[in-house]
Amino acid sequence: MATDPFRPMREGPRLYVVLPLVMMAAAAASALYVLFLARPFINSLNAQLAERAAAWLFFGTAAAGGLGALGGLVIGLRVAGRIRGIAQRAEALTARVDGGAAPPAPKDEIGALDAAVGRLTLSMDRFVRDSDILSRLPEGMLLLGPAGDLLSFNTTAEVVLETSLERFRGTPLLSAQGLFPLADGNEQLARLLDDALLEERSLQLGEVSVVPATGREFLLEVTVQHREWRRDSTALILLFRDASEKRRIREEIRRADQLAFLGGMAARVAHEIRTPMATVRGLVELLQADLSEQDTTRRQYIDRVLQAVDRQDRLVEDMLTLSHPEPESLQPVNLRDLIDDVVRELPQDARLRVSGAPAASLATIPGDAFRLHEVFTNLIKNALEASPPSATVEARVESTDRGVVRVVVHNTGVGIPAEIRERIFQPFFTTKAKGTGLGLAIAKHIVDAHRGTLRVDSDGQTETTFTVELPTTQPTAAAAVVKSSHG
């Protein structure tokens, strides 16, 4: 158990007094003992010699005592000086950690050392406790001294800022060599720290853009707290957390809301367009039937009109599918058979081949064959359209031990740059001159509606892989209830 450093202690004798007395007494006792042992020898001498011998022995005893006292004084002073030095260093360390003034230390050396060790032990206990608490904080923490220098930090701060902070310890936070150089665009943080010092209260600012010495910009939620530092100064505690992810999620939600609104509106418009388009197509086909076989010019015009109507009809169908990608019914679907059907319906292409597990060895998945047919048609057609004549396109079906069936559509010869990879599943995003930007978005929505995953991997230059994984199990009743409640 650590000694309470604030408990009043009884003063003890000084070392440079005690040691000379002890050594003098020891030397005198030793000389007297020698005199006692020499008594038979002295008694055997005549009176004159015995008197001289006794005088010499007493003189030697006094000299030994004096030398012992002198030696004790020298040793006592040296030991006392060393102990005082140790106590002063311990006091300085505890004052730095505790931030407060130490109580008056006892004047004797042992008492001063005992008090210093007690304060040091207590400070270490506090340090270990505070370090453990700080390391568990979900927020980054920077402790700034009265001069704005970085005194301490926690692990979360290094994780959030993605750099080691040890090299900034002891350096002013906003200096050119500090963690947040003022010249790098950290004026907003500097104003926040100045306001906290002037107003002498804790401040919380929603989001602050900072640029640490690494050069990468961060968006942080910052709180500044006061802390008394020794008797006449103030330290600041900077608490922060990364707000970039929060802003990204907020932007994603806003974009999703906009897309949902546009999707709903587009679906309603598409539904309204579909009926008159069917009427137009029927009337144009009647006109075509009334034309003679020799009227080739008008027949070409009508063919163009019908092609345009077909394109509009496909666009309407895509928009309706995008707004309602859920399967109409769940039936056992063998994905190898489905892929073979898709390939047979596409124009023959020497670049395309199907591989993987045969249909007989694959587990079926519960799904809507019509919807899934559209998914893999889109993926394979996109791969063929994007690939050069010398490339290869492979559709591979695999069985896994995770309760899913995987379909991989891999093409060589072209990749997808990283900057657009995350956007290719967004509706109406396309890099094709004539594309609608709905194919991959529809595929992603249908796979999600089947509780599956669709992801893309690419080296950005020479190859691209789309991977679809669909579960082999039926959705649980709870999931069906949730789905129906949201529907």
Side-chain angles (χ1 to χ4, degrees), residues 140 142 156-157 159-162 179-180 186 188-189 192 204-212 216-223 238-247:
L142 302 178
T156 307
V159 173
V160 172
L161 298 176
E162 299 178 355
L179 176 59
F180 297 116
N186 294 303
Q188 190 181 9
L189 178 62
L192 177 63
Q204 183 171 6
L205 199 61
E207 293 176 353
V208 178
S209 178
V210 299
V211 182
R216 180 185 171 187
E217 184 176 0
F218 289 89
L219 189 67
L220 305 179
E221 285 185 356
V222 177
T223 301
L238 196 67
L239 299 173
F240 57 90
R241 64 176 61 191
D242 188 6
S244 304
E245 183 65 14
K246 190 175 178 180
R247 172 179 281 188

Side-chain angles (χ1 to χ4, degrees), residues 14-24 26-27 64-84 109-110:
R14 303 294 181 85
L15 276 179
Y16 57 82
V17 175
V18 173
L19 281 179
L21 292 176
V22 170
M23 294 190 69
M24 182 177 67
L67 291 175
L70 182 61
L73 179 62
V74 173
I75 295 174
L77 288 174
R78 290 179 63 85
V79 172
R82 296 291 298 274
I83 291 177
R84 285 289 179 188
E109 293 79 7
I110 300 299

